[in-house]
Structures are given as structure tokens and as C-alpha cells.
Amino acid sequence: APGGHYLPFVANHLNFINGLSNIILNISSYILNGIGMKNNISGHYLNVINGASVHLESGCIGIGILRFWWAIILAYPQKTGLKLKYFFLGTFGFLLLNIARFCVLAVVYTKSAGTPFRNMDHHFIFNCLTYMVLFIFLYKWLQHPILKNQPVS
């Protein structure tokens, strides 16, 4: 760890990035098994049996967009219940997009070996899709009237 400070408790129990990685990998694996693509997970790799492997890097988790979403929702003056609703709906929405991307990559990489689809820039395509969804979410969020401070009586 930078600065020589390492806290095993934090690394083992509060590392939400590994938690998000595990959620994406395990749900993707479950979905792929459900459509008949047997697979296994090894570290941060989802390996389709007799097919392709897809690596989930830390930059692919979408933590930057999630942090942006969380910051906007928490900073915007709004009722707590509405904040919680949008916080969790947005988080689950972005996780579902990521899971869908991971499943599509596993299928495309397995079924289209040697074709141009294998060389597509999936990061760019996914970023465009994710930012479109983000702008839709933000538009809906900003349509709610701002909660004004009420005078104390």
C-alpha cells in the first residue's frame, strides 16, 4: 500500500471493488450457464469451456461512473427517500449494463473467432451506451423539484 499502511481488515472486508467484480463475474457466469455456455471463473477471468476468456480489469467495473452517479445523487438537494431510490436504481442499472456487456463479450468472442467482431472496440461502444443511460438517468433525476430549506417555526 502507498505509504506503507496496510490494513488487512479493510482489504478483506471493505474492498467494494472486489465485491463489484465478484458480482459482475458471478452473475455473468450464471447467465451464461443458463444459455448453455458452460464456464468457470478464475481470478478476474470468465472462461467459457471450449471458448473464449474474458478478463474483467478494474477499469472495466465502471467505478468512475458509479462514483459520479453517487456524488450527484447525494449532493443534489432532494428528499432522502428519493435519493435512496435513485442511488440504488442507478447503481443496479449500471451493474446490469456491465453484466450484459460481459455476457455479450463472452458470447461474441466464443462464437465469432477470427471475425471482425472480435476486434471491435467494446470499451468505446460500452462507454457511449453507458453515458447515454447516465444522461437519461440525470434528466429524470433533475426533473424532480429541488427540496428547499424550510424555515424553522
Side-chain angles (χ1 to χ4, degrees):
H5 302 287
Y6 178 76
L7 301 171
F9 176 81
V10 172
N12 293 329
H13 301 290
L14 301 178
N15 186 345
F16 72 96
I17 296 191
N18 274 346
L20 290 174
S21 295
N22 288 333
I23 288 169
I24 293 167
L25 286 167
N26 286 304
I27 293 175
S28 297
S29 174
Y30 180 80
I31 291 169
L32 290 170
N33 278 322
I35 62 171
M37 295 184 76
K38 300 299 176 207
N39 64 79
N40 61 46
I41 298 170
S42 177
H44 288 267
Y45 285 88
L46 181 95
N47 306 303
V48 177
I49 307 299
N50 298 320
S53 292
V54 183
H55 182 219
L56 180 61
E57 296 181 9
S58 60
C60 297
I61 296 170
I63 197 66
I65 201 163
L66 283 173
R67 285 188 209 160
F68 175 79
W69 178 250
W70 296 337
I72 291 292
I73 297 303
L74 295 176
Y76 193 73
Q78 197 50 263
K79 295 178 184 175
T80 303
L82 199 56
K83 282 187 178 195
L84 288 172
K85 175 183 171 184
Y86 273 80
F87 183 91
F88 287 109
L89 284 175
T91 300
F92 291 128
F94 291 121
L95 282 174
L96 288 175
L97 282 173
N98 225 339
I99 291 164
R101 170 176 72 154
F102 215 64
C103 290
V104 167
L105 285 174
V107 170
V108 167
Y109 282 3
T110 297
K111 302 286 185 188
S112 65
T115 68
F117 291 113
R118 184 127 179 151
N119 297 323
M120 69 181 169
D121 186 358
H122 63 87
H123 287 285
F124 177 75
I125 295 168
F126 181 71
N127 285 339
C128 289
L129 176 66
T130 303
Y131 282 106
M132 281 192 311
V133 170
L134 174 68
F135 290 133
I136 291 167
F137 281 1
L138 284 175
Y139 177 78
K140 292 218 171 264
W141 174 244
L142 295 174
Q143 295 306 303
H144 293 285
I146 295 176
L147 183 66
K148 306 250 189 227
N149 291 335
Q150 301 295 324
V152 178
S153 43

